[in-house]
Amino acid sequence: MRKIILFIFTFIFCSCNFNEYKITRLEHKRLKFDELPSEVQKYLSNRPKCEDNNMLLFVNLADTATYSLETVGTLIGPWVDYEKLIDKQKNISYRINQGVPSPYIVSQKKLYIPDRFDILCGGSVFEAKYTEYQLK
């Protein structure tokens, strides 16, 4: 019995990822398009509509070496459990729940997520509201 309890405790302890943060627990605020930093506004305004279907966009190309996005599947079946934004330099990841609209926009250690899907192809870049998350 003690071995079973020890095994369960070890499994739970090892399953915990101490370098993973849920974005919902990060410092954040809601912004309208005209409240976004000017470089983010320019990037979204000048981006070709429906050019590609990237879920992760970088305002500054230097951030492409720092951040990456990984899709995490469910334990059973071929479904998506969540997306994971990974800071490769700090070895930190940020959990983005399934169903959160994309694209995820990274600029100056901040993550911007729109309140609706298809803002680039649908032309609602200016009408969307964005949540700005302060990355660690």
Side-chain angles (χ1 to χ4, degrees), residues 47-111:
R47 186 159 173 80
K49 305 292 184 231
C50 298
E51 178 186 74
D52 52 22
N53 205 10
N54 286 342
M55 288 182 65
L56 183 60
L57 303 176
F58 299 100
V59 175
N60 183 349
L61 290 179
D63 288 332
T64 59
T66 305
Y67 297 99
S68 66
L69 190 67
E70 177 184 316
T71 300
V72 178
T74 57
L75 294 175
I76 302 173
W79 303 286
V80 173
D81 193 12
Y82 60 92
E83 301 292 334
K84 188 184 332 185
L85 178 66
I86 302 167
D87 183 333
K88 296 181 272 188
Q89 292 178 343
K90 295 180 181 176
N91 196 26
I92 295 175
S93 63
Y94 303 94
R95 183 180 181 143
I96 303 170
N97 291 333
Q98 172 65 7
V100 172
S102 62
Y104 312 128
I105 305 155
V106 175
S107 177
Q108 297 182 4
K109 296 186 181 183
K110 293 183 181 174
L111 173 66

Side-chain angles (χ1 to χ4, degrees), residues 5 14 32 56 63-64 67 88 97 116 132-134:
I5 293 173
C14 292
K32 296 178 184 175
L56 183 60
D63 288 332
T64 59
Y67 297 99
K88 296 181 272 188
N97 291 333
R116 60 191 78 179
E132 176 190 81
Y133 296 95
Q134 181 65 51

Side-chain angles (χ1 to χ4, degrees), residues 4-73:
I4 293 173
I5 293 173
L6 182 61
F7 173 75
I8 291 172
F9 177 75
T10 304
F11 178 76
I12 291 171
F13 184 75
C14 292
S15 297
C16 296
N17 188 346
F18 297 109
N19 291 334
E20 183 174 284
Y21 298 93
K22 292 184 179 183
I23 61 164
T24 55
R25 294 191 177 163
L26 295 176
E27 183 179 327
H28 64 279
K29 60 183 174 180
R30 299 275 291 177
L31 302 170
K32 296 178 184 175
F33 179 82
D34 58 347
E35 296 172 324
L36 291 171
S38 60
E39 63 271 4
V40 176
Q41 287 181 26
K42 288 177 191 174
Y43 178 79
L44 290 172
S45 298
N46 296 326
R47 186 159 173 80
K49 305 292 184 231
C50 298
E51 178 186 74
D52 52 22
N53 205 10
N54 286 342
M55 288 182 65
L56 183 60
L57 303 176
F58 299 100
V59 175
N60 183 349
L61 290 179
D63 288 332
T64 59
T66 305
Y67 297 99
S68 66
L69 190 67
E70 177 184 316
T71 300
V72 178

Side-chain angles (χ1 to χ4, degrees), residues 119-131:
I119 62 167
L120 298 175
C121 292
S124 59
V125 172
F126 304 104
E127 292 84 26
K129 291 185 175 46
Y130 300 84
T131 304

